[in-house]
Amino acid sequence: MRFTRCTLVQIMKGDEILLGMKKRGLGVGKWNGFGGKLLRGETLQQCSARELEEECGLHVNVDHLTQIGILMFNFIEEDFLLEVNVFKAEQFTGTPMESEEMAPKWFSKENVPYDKMWADDIFWYPMMFRNEMFYGFMEFKGHDNMVSKNLQQVESLIAMESLKQSALKQFSFNCAQATADTMT
């Protein structure tokens, strides 16, 4: 089974959220936050800041990124497990610009285009908007059919990490080794 760690940054401005229409790669044709794969030697925050700048031109100081969730995705038919570390930022500089990968657009919280997003987003975005921390484990057949969902509010990063480690153990990953071996 392939395993990948990545980040997802949600940029907030008042009652608006910046989403990007994915133009290539995993999630093409869907609105999403900005993020990508962790590079060897990077912290999750450094990855988040780098991916945000690459995908839409915004700059965020790593100290202004707050981790709010961990989402685990098992893509059953692809034998692929994806760990997504979700961050939120309200302080940033620059103007969103289209890149080769993403076309950014601001949406009000009331008009998030859930029908054009990943199937799980409709469940955890409201938690994010309420400033709740969360952990989720979802299974997908293909990229549009979510066949199971376990999403819960958590009280701390420690609780989030503990739930993630339990999930990795179910897939017989040595957690420390999985982290080291799967960074590109």
Side-chain angles (χ1 to χ4, degrees), residues 67-115:
Q67 186 164 9
I68 57 170
I70 295 177
L71 300 170
M72 302 293 289
F73 296 94
N74 181 15
F75 292 95
I76 299 166
E77 296 170 334
E78 299 173 41
D79 202 28
F80 175 43
L81 185 64
L82 180 66
E83 172 191 328
V84 180
N85 293 272
V86 184
F87 290 84
K88 184 166 126 176
E90 297 180 32
Q91 295 181 25
F92 56 89
T93 58
T95 301
M97 297 171 46
E98 186 168 345
S99 67
E100 291 180 12
E101 191 166 347
M102 302 284 267
K105 180 178 176 182
W106 289 102
F107 291 91
S108 71
K109 291 178 185 177
E110 294 79 30
N111 292 312
V112 172
Y114 292 116
D115 60 328

Side-chain angles (χ1 to χ4, degrees), residues 9-14 16-18 52 56-61 64-65 88-96 106:
V9 182
Q10 304 295 333
I11 297 295
M12 308 292 297
K13 181 175 71 174
E16 293 184 308
I17 184 167
L18 184 66
L52 180 67
C56 74
L58 293 182
H59 303 278
V60 65
N61 183 309
H64 295 148
L65 290 163
K88 184 166 126 176
E90 297 180 32
Q91 295 181 25
F92 56 89
T93 58
T95 301
W106 289 102

Side-chain angles (χ1 to χ4, degrees), residues 21-29 54-55 99-102:
M21 174 54 72
K22 188 81 162 144
K23 294 164 52 177
R24 66 178 188 196
L26 184 66
V28 68
E54 289 174 3
E55 292 183 351
S99 67
E100 291 180 12
E101 191 166 347
M102 302 284 267

Side-chain angles (χ1 to χ4, degrees), residues 5 8 28 39 54 96 114 124 129 152 154 160:
R5 288 183 86 198
L8 184 66
V28 68
L39 300 178
E54 289 174 3
Y114 292 116
W124 64 265
F129 292 148
Q152 56 192 294
V154 296
M160 237 186 271

Side-chain angles (χ1 to χ4, degrees), residues 54 58 121 125 134 139-140 143 145 155 158-159 166 168:
E54 289 174 3
L58 293 182
D121 291 349
Y125 268 60
F134 51 86
E139 292 187 303
F140 276 78
H143 294 173
N145 184 15
E155 297 301 319
I158 293 169
S166 293
L168 289 174

Side-chain angles (χ1 to χ4, degrees), residues 124-162:
W124 64 265
Y125 268 60
M127 296 174 84
M128 173 183 63
F129 292 148
R130 292 189 303 266
N131 293 313
E132 297 172 355
M133 295 174 74
F134 51 86
Y135 170 84
F137 186 92
M138 278 64 81
E139 292 187 303
F140 276 78
K141 283 190 177 178
H143 294 173
D144 295 317
N145 184 15
M146 184 170 59
V147 296
S148 72
K149 167 185 65 75
N150 178 1
L151 180 64
Q152 56 192 294
Q153 182 180 353
V154 296
E155 297 301 319
S156 68
L157 291 173
I158 293 169
M160 237 186 271
E161 185 66 24
S162 177

